[in-house]
Amino acid sequence: MSTVMNKNLTQEIIESFSADTYTEANDLRKQAIGYLETLGLPTNKSEEYRFTPITKHLEKNFKWENKNPQSSINSIDDYLIPELDANILVFINGSFSQKFSKIISPKDQLSIKTLAEAFQSESTTISSYFDKVGRSQNDPFAAMNSAFWQEGVCINIPDKTIVEKPIFLLHINDTTLSQVIAHTRLLLIIGQQSEASIIEKFETTGGEASFHTFIEEILVSESASLNYYKIQNDKGAVCQVTNSAIQQLSGSKVSAFTLTLNGQLIRNNFSITIDGEHCESHFNGLYLLKGKTLVDNHTVVDHKKPNSQSNELYKGIMDGNSKGVFNGKIFVRPHAQKTNAFQSNRNILICDDATINTKPQLEIWADDVKCSHGCTTGQLDEEALFYLQSRGISKQSAQAMLLYAFAADVVATIPHGSIKNYFDLLISERLQKNF
Amino acid sequence: MLEIKNLQARIEEKEILKGINLTVNAGEVHAIMGPNGSGKSTLASVLSGREEYEVTGGEVTFLGKDLLALDPEVRAREGIFMAFQYPVEIPGVNTINFMKTALNQIRVHRGQQPLDAVSFLGLMKEKMKLVEIEQSLLSRSLNEGFSGGEKKRNEIFQMAMLEPKLAILDETDSGLDIDALRIVANGVNKLRSKNNATIVVTHYQRLLDYIVPDFVHVLYKGRIVKSGTKDLALELEAKGYDWIKNEVAVA
Ligand SMILES: Nc1ncnc2c1ncn2[C@@H]1O[C@H](COP(=O)(O)OP(=O)(O)O)[C@@H](O)[C@H]1O
Ligand SMILES: [Mg+2]
């Protein structure tokens, strides 16, 4: 793919969106367009997108002058998580759906506003936090989102507040009538000593192409705690780039879990900045792929302050022609002494045509730290398989048992019953563990 | 029940079984003895369907069926059980769930209803007593972190659960102290009946004090070079294997 073509596509995208009129964040949008122009869309030579041909995919599948269709979805029941009692925020084709959204937590536990509203009534929050920890300057798709975002939510949780009901963010792209391009955002501020759980779920229906960028900026204040779950189970041919930037202040705790099962081309840029002492970050990823799905998880944990620990475990099972990409960066800055940082990426390839590219990247400037990383790629253990079969268990069930054992151990750590069950259900279904 | 004729097998170009002949009838216990490396485990693995071993000649009939044509799980469902010399540790696979899946797939194969959770647990309790195994052990991942003796006991527990027609015990006595040995042997004896058969692979006479064989065979360099009654085992215990090796060399 030539650089000239990329330039053209970048320009084409910029021009198609510039025709829209935006009412908020016009200066930031202009700035972001500048970043996008400078960065350009990635080519196969771009180090960060070497294995993930998003630009090519965009070129081939989208008409940028088209507007998103109206969705005719009249129920979201199929997309809900069974028995999960949650605050539900729904986006359809990039627009916030008042009709399907539902807030059940009391007002003193949290404030939820659309970004459009927040720009009107919460200018302090916006000016302090909006587009501050995102990565618009570094990532062309983050820049694209910052330039052209359609809608988003701003969630503010005051200090010393335990939000009992999880916040469920549901993105649906309905491509029944035509292609959909959606750019959405989340700004989540968790006050000191507060606790919250967020679940993000992405769905596409219909047969046409969909392209979705999502930026989330999350601040976890002093001694606050966040449980975070992302479920990417798009049945349609979605191309998606998510940029997650979580910032942790002293004594805070984050547990994150990203489960990816379906979609065409998925790129997750997931970064945690540890900007305080005595923080804990656990982040798990599980990608169980088949068909032609490509999933690229780029993670960053940046230890800026001493005495914190991070623990990263990403696991993948690749079947069919699927491709997995994992890149895990750990930075330990000069002041961040006594950091404990662990990273592990483990993969099983079921099929000869499936591939994984995995790369750990550790940059450690402090000297008194404990860091380790490891990655393994293998097949199913033949001896274990035989043992199970020798007891009368079919090969298919034996395989499912072993894959499930490999995949599901991280699920056991999920504290919410209904979320745990749902993860378990999705994983069992994918691995055909039906016994 | 089992008829092995001129069975030959190899692994990675290496001939290991060089023509085994053996007939086992219902109700019988056969002991297979022999020095290390003579092919005892290979024979057990070939009978249970391990694919690494390539059968290069001969035939095996089990209850009238061509055993070598069956997948390992089908052999198990038809009634073959091998207690492994080295049971594999399988992290993340819960022993009870594993056993329930195995038992129910076998039952379905035999045209029986799968057991529900309650009946399964009832059966499990009963069989646990037989081999004196603790439930806490079975609640763990399959063999993970089990001691040598616990693994062997787990093998016999599985055998008790699955009620095979032909059990092949590969060095089930190795690594067991005398108490564990007695428990395991006791379990095996209680499961013996005129309808099933057992092949006990061992290279010590010790186990045969507890599980008394009808026949003893000596396997050496891939062949059964001598067969006899339990007295043969005592003779081997007293004299070692050298006289057998010499006999073979002379012949
Ligand atoms: N996986 C294997 N690869 C290569 N050689 C093997 C393998 N398994 C067994 N053998 C060889 O086959 C011969 C018989 O082994 P085995 O059947 O384990 O003997 P036994 O159980 O009588 O001690 C030995 O020489 C052993 O080294
Ligand atoms: Mg052996």
Side-chain angles (χ1 to χ4, degrees):
Chain A
M1 182 176 6
S2 72
T3 322
V4 179
M5 271 168 78
N6 286 323
K7 272 249 156 61
N8 288 346
L9 182 61
T10 310
Q11 278 312 323
E12 191 187 334
I13 292 173
I14 289 172
E15 276 154 27
S16 73
F17 279 105
S18 300
D20 293 358
T21 44
Y22 296 104
T23 45
E24 324 64 32
N26 284 322
D27 293 344
L28 289 171
R29 288 178 194 273
K30 268 196 201 113
Q31 190 183 42
I33 290 174
Y35 295 144
L36 179 57
E37 280 178 320
T38 315
L39 292 164
L41 290 172
T43 68
N44 52 6
K45 304 247 161 30
S46 313
E47 184 56 30
E48 287 291 299
Y49 284 86
R50 220 146 57 91
F51 302 107
T52 312
I54 295 175
T55 308
K56 216 169 166 178
H57 180 85
L58 296 182
E59 241 163 25
K60 229 165 84 185
N61 295 290
F62 292 90
K63 295 201 172 52
W64 299 94
E65 66 282 2
N66 287 12
K67 295 280 158 268
N68 284 343
Q70 284 289 324
S71 167
S72 54
I73 289 177
N74 49 28
S75 160
I76 57 165
D77 292 354
D78 286 351
Y79 307 115
L80 297 177
I81 294 175
E83 283 160 40
L84 179 73
D85 204 13
N87 297 290
I88 302 176
L89 303 167
V90 183
F91 288 84
I92 298 177
N93 295 353
S95 306
F96 183 69
S97 163
Q98 202 75 51
K99 177 175 155 204
F100 292 123
S101 299
K102 177 179 86 170
I103 295 165
I104 56 171
S105 289
K107 279 215 166 58
D108 57 347
Q109 281 189 9
L110 81 178
S111 118
I112 298 181
K113 296 205 158 92
T114 63
L115 273 177
E117 288 166 354
F119 266 86
Q120 297 300 318
S121 61
E122 295 207 25
S123 53
T124 353
T125 306
I126 293 292
S127 62
S128 322
Y129 302 112
F130 183 82
D131 212 15
K132 289 292 185 290
V133 291
R135 308 184 331 122
S136 309
Q137 287 184 63
N138 307 314
D139 182 81
F141 299 104
M144 191 187 287
N145 183 296
S146 292
F148 308 125
W149 58 271
Q150 295 142 318
E151 196 43 283
V153 275
C154 171
I155 304 174
N156 223 321
I157 297 165
D159 293 346
K160 298 188 179 156
T161 305
I162 292 173
V163 183
E164 282 147 33
K165 306 290 181 198
I167 301 156
F168 179 35
L169 220 61
L170 176 61
H171 284 92
I172 303 168
N173 289 338
D174 178 3
T175 70
T176 316
L177 295 173
S178 67
Q179 68 163 46
V180 170
I181 296 172
H183 304 289
T184 55
R185 294 180 77 106
L186 164 71
L187 176 60
L188 169 62
I189 319 276
I190 307 175
Q192 296 179 18
Q193 299 173 50
S194 295
E195 289 176 30
S197 297
I198 186 153
I199 305 147
E200 297 165 359
K201 197 159 175 264
F202 300 86
E203 303 276 0
T204 305
T205 96
E208 300 299 317
S210 98
F211 174 52
H212 188 181
T213 75
F214 178 61
I215 287 187
E216 55 190 332
E217 299 176 283
I218 301 177
L219 176 71
V220 189
S221 305
E222 286 82 355
S223 304
S225 125
L226 168 70
N227 285 307
Y228 168 106
Y229 311 91
K230 197 200 313 269
I231 302 170
Q232 293 167 309
N233 191 17
D234 271 279
K235 300 292 186 293
V238 72
C239 171
Q240 185 180 62
V241 184
T242 69
N243 271 282
S244 310
I246 299 178
Q247 191 182 17
Q248 285 190 251
L249 302 182
S250 293
S252 64
K253 195 175 161 189
V254 169
S255 296
F257 197 143
T258 302
L259 175 66
T260 311
L261 299 169
N262 278 320
Q264 184 158 7
L265 204 50
I266 311 275
R267 166 63 173 254
N268 295 319
N269 293 313
F270 183 90
S271 90
I272 294 189
T273 305
I274 300 183
D275 205 358
E277 297 193 36
H278 306 289
C279 293
E280 250 183 72
S281 326
H282 302 275
F283 50 119
N284 295 321
L286 193 56
Y287 39 102
L288 311 177
L289 313 179
K290 59 174 189 167
K292 290 192 160 136
T293 300
L294 187 159
V295 173
D296 177 349
N297 281 297
H298 266 60
T299 68
V300 180
V301 56
D302 190 351
H303 285 268
K304 291 191 154 164
K305 298 276 164 67
N307 296 312
S308 288
Q309 56 160 311
S310 65
N311 202 331
E312 173 174 19
L313 174 58
Y314 270 64
K315 287 188 189 179
I317 299 175
M318 267 73 53
D319 200 351
N321 288 294
S322 66
K323 287 190 170 64
V325 180
F326 174 80
N327 180 294
K329 295 185 178 69
I330 300 179
F331 300 126
V332 182
R333 307 284 171 183
H335 298 296
Q337 300 294 2
K338 306 268 182 217
T339 288
N340 283 343
F342 300 101
Q343 180 191 93
S344 164
N345 176 229
R346 298 175 56 200
N347 299 288
I348 292 182
L349 301 176
I350 299 185
C351 211
D352 288 345
D353 295 326
T355 58
I356 174 79
N357 285 289
T358 170
K359 184 175 172 192
Q361 234 173 304
L362 276 59
E363 293 183 30
I364 297 165
W365 292 282
D367 46 23
D368 185 13
V369 300
K370 277 195 202 132
C371 286
S372 76
H373 70 88
C375 51
T376 57
T377 298
Q379 271 90 35
L380 271 182
D381 181 352
E382 290 291 334
E383 247 189 287
L385 207 55
F386 176 69
Y387 188 90
L388 300 176
Q389 282 178 272
S390 78
R391 298 308 183 233
I393 297 174
S394 71
K395 186 165 192 176
Q396 194 270 325
S397 300
Q399 262 172 355
M401 259 182 175
L402 294 177
L403 292 174
Y404 180 82
F406 170 81
D409 61 346
V410 281
V411 176
T413 61
I414 296 178
H416 290 88
S418 53
I419 300 175
K420 188 199 276 188
N421 292 344
Y422 188 63
F423 270 65
D424 197 67
L425 177 80
L426 292 178
I427 295 168
S428 301
E429 269 177 13
R430 168 50 53 92
L431 300 176
Q432 296 179 290
K433 184 185 161 288
N434 44 12
F435 42 82
Chain B
M1 174 182 279
L2 179 76
E3 195 153 357
I4 306 176
K5 280 190 197 148
N6 193 27
L7 179 65
Q8 297 154 52
R10 68 174 174 197
I11 186 159
E12 293 166 1
E13 305 301 306
K14 190 174 160 192
E15 295 295 333
I16 300 174
L17 302 183
K18 297 173 188 161
I20 304 265
N21 292 295
L22 181 68
T23 302
V24 177
N25 296 309
E28 294 175 352
V29 174
H30 290 243
I32 295 181
M33 304 183 74
N36 270 333
S38 54
K40 303 184 296 293
S41 292
T42 303
L43 177 61
S45 300
V46 168
L47 292 178
S48 52
R50 186 92 205 238
E51 274 170 19
E52 277 81 348
Y53 297 90
E54 188 196 345
V55 175
T56 51
E59 55 189 71
V60 180
T61 339
F62 176 65
L63 297 170
K65 290 201 172 103
D66 175 7
L67 185 72
L68 300 176
L70 305 179
D71 287 336
E73 63 268 32
V74 181
R75 296 182 196 199
R77 295 169 188 175
E78 291 286 326
I80 291 209
F81 181 93
M82 171 171 74
F84 284 72
Q85 181 172 6
Y86 304 107
V88 215
E89 300 198 7
I90 311 186
V93 171
N94 171 274
T95 310
I96 296 174
N97 293 343
F98 149 72
M99 207 65 270
K100 185 157 180 257
T101 307
L103 181 67
N104 281 339
Q105 292 198 3
I106 288 176
R107 287 180 65 92
V108 169
H109 180 83
R110 294 178 183 166
Q112 299 164 310
Q113 282 293 317
L115 290 186
D116 61 26
V118 176
S119 336
F120 174 80
L121 287 176
L123 181 69
M124 202 180 86
K125 288 258 153 62
E126 179 193 317
K127 303 295 183 181
M128 275 163 49
K129 272 202 211 104
L130 199 70
V131 291
E132 300 179 34
I133 197 165
E134 300 283 318
Q135 173 135 15
S136 60
L137 205 60
L138 301 180
S139 305
R140 284 165 44 185
S141 284
L142 191 46
N143 293 325
E144 193 187 25
F146 286 25
S147 71
E150 286 169 339
K151 284 180 186 163
K152 295 299 172 78
R153 217 180 286 190
N154 189 16
E155 295 292 289
I156 301 305
F157 164 71
Q158 292 174 35
M159 179 177 111
M161 290 294 292
L162 302 182
E163 299 181 332
K165 299 200 179 82
L166 174 68
I168 305 164
L169 312 180
D170 189 3
E171 309 260 2
T172 299
D173 51 336
S174 65
L176 291 187
D177 62 32
I178 198 75
D179 288 335
L181 185 73
R182 206 174 290 140
I183 292 166
V184 164
N186 196 23
V188 173
N189 285 331
K190 280 194 188 143
L191 296 167
R192 279 174 74 169
S193 80
K194 62 178 191 320
N195 299 320
N196 60 29
T198 312
I199 296 176
V200 184
V201 174
T202 180
H203 55 259
Y204 299 111
Q205 134 74 18
R206 197 174 67 150
L207 179 66
L208 305 181
D209 287 340
Y210 299 94
I211 305 174
V212 182
D214 301 300
F215 301 95
V216 174
H217 311 276
V218 180
L219 187 62
Y220 179 57
K221 288 194 175 166
R223 287 195 182 88
I224 289 179
V225 294
K226 207 169 186 67
S227 295
T229 62
K230 63 179 194 297
D231 297 339
L232 178 58
L234 291 168
E235 197 176 351
L236 289 169
E237 177 81 352
K239 300 207 274 184
Y241 285 108
D242 284 347
W243 62 281
I244 296 224
K245 293 181 187 173
N246 288 336
E247 270 188 27
V248 172
V250 171

